[in-house]
Amino acid sequence: MVQGPMKIRYRDTFLDSGFIADIIVEDKVIIEIKAVSEINNIHHQQLLTYLKLTNL
């Protein structure tokens, strides 16, 4: 999937979130593409949030 909204599972229900991942590979890997001069803590936190919410 490329540039799609991420659905978050809470118990047995899937919720729509405002999060949009750049690339999700085989529902196992999240790839976030950044066009910045350096990666900051906020970028790490964004990815960790995506990983936690999607259980990937």
Side-chain angles (χ1 to χ4, degrees):
M1 173 172 74
V2 177
Q3 275 277 335
M6 299 181 353
K7 292 193 181 249
I8 297 169
R9 183 177 175 185
Y10 177 73
R11 297 186 180 173
D12 291 330
T13 304
F14 284 94
L15 307 170
D16 288 328
S17 71
F19 300 122
I20 297 177
D22 290 331
I23 300 171
I24 299 178
V25 180
E26 295 187 13
D27 290 326
K28 295 181 182 178
V29 178
I30 295 176
I31 299 172
E32 273 296 303
I33 300 169
K34 301 291 181 201
V36 295
S37 59
E38 66 180 57
I39 301 295
N40 294 316
N41 187 45
I42 191 73
H43 300 117
H44 290 281
Q45 294 304 315
Q46 176 190 25
L47 187 56
L48 289 175
T49 299
Y50 287 0
L51 291 170
K52 287 177 188 176
L53 292 175
T54 59
N55 294 318
L56 296 178

